[in-house]
Amino acid sequence: MGYDLSLTRKPIEPIKRTLAAMRAAGYHIIHTREGHRSDLADLPPNKLWRSRAIGAGGLGIGDAGPCGRILIRGEPGWEIIPELAPIAGEVIIDKPGKGSFYATDLDLVLRTRRITNLILAGVTTDVCVHTTMRDANDRGYECLLLSDCTAATDPDNHLAALKMITMQGGVFGAHAESAALLAGIVVPC
């Protein structure tokens, strides 16, 4: 859609290190990705309109872009990047909205596994990750956002999203750099 994605590549290496450590320690890994049905039946008109209003050349969700139809499930540009691709057995949540709980079975997947603490990473800090964190907090999950494992298309938005997390004594949870988390992970023998 014409966004400068260069800033969103910054967290790839920290996420790779964190995924490797969490996998080695036996933690549940859940991936999410935003995308819509090819017939756009799950795309609200306001989201389509907004995407075309801000997209380069008027392109929006469902339109043909350089990596296939934009944000359409199954298109090449919709896949999780190879550097962070899920491995066998890891859950993938396909979501039609910004938040990972909206119109998905994420809450059921977490509760079935008795998961109550979430570690969040990905892009973008200020939209999808923050929305998911807020929704998780409202559902009673304790949340930790890894600040170096997230990014936004605008650095000020990233910083503002981090600041919002810590307001009012951590109203939505907490954030920390991945090194602090990794220092506390014990890998079973």
Side-chain angles (χ1 to χ4, degrees):
M1 290 179 30
Y3 297 120
D4 176 8
L5 298 178
S6 61
L7 293 174
T8 64
R9 294 201 57 83
K10 185 177 178 182
I12 292 174
E13 287 306 316
I15 293 172
K16 280 175 66 173
R17 286 190 299 275
T18 303
L19 278 173
M22 300 297 277
R23 286 171 174 154
Y27 284 86
H28 294 284
I29 308 291
I30 299 174
H31 303 265
T32 67
R33 57 188 173 193
E34 183 178 354
H36 295 277
R37 297 164 41 113
S38 62
D39 64 3
L40 305 181
D42 61 351
L43 178 64
N46 66 325
K47 188 175 178 184
L48 176 60
W49 172 86
R50 190 172 290 115
S51 73
R52 288 187 173 148
I54 61 173
L59 291 180
I61 298 169
D63 295 327
C67 295
R69 291 178 66 206
I70 297 168
L71 281 180
I72 298 300
R73 294 178 184 163
E75 294 288 326
W78 165 79
E79 291 294 339
I80 295 170
I81 62 171
E83 301 98 303
L84 305 175
I87 62 172
E90 292 179 348
V91 174
I92 302 170
I93 301 292
D94 290 318
K95 59 190 185 83
K98 310 297 187 275
S100 298
F101 289 93
Y102 172 71
T104 73
D105 60 354
L106 177 58
D107 192 53
L108 178 61
V109 167
L110 293 169
R111 294 192 191 283
T112 300
R113 289 169 171 74
R114 293 188 168 96
I115 296 171
T116 58
N117 297 282
L118 307 182
I119 299 167
L120 294 98
V123 294
T124 60
T125 318
D126 55 327
V127 183
C128 294
V129 179
H130 216 270
T131 301
T132 298
M133 186 175 201
R134 287 173 176 235
D135 287 349
N137 177 268
D138 284 347
R139 288 172 168 79
Y141 295 98
E142 289 294 334
C143 299
L144 172 65
L145 183 146
L146 299 178
S147 55
D148 61 327
C149 292
T150 60
T153 56
D154 179 300
D156 290 334
N157 287 355
H158 174 75
L159 294 174
L162 295 178
K163 182 178 179 181
M164 282 186 266
I165 292 167
T166 59
M167 293 178 61
Q168 301 174 10
V171 67
F172 302 121
H175 69 82
E177 297 244 338
S178 60
L181 173 71
L182 297 178
I185 292 179
V186 176
V187 178
C189 299

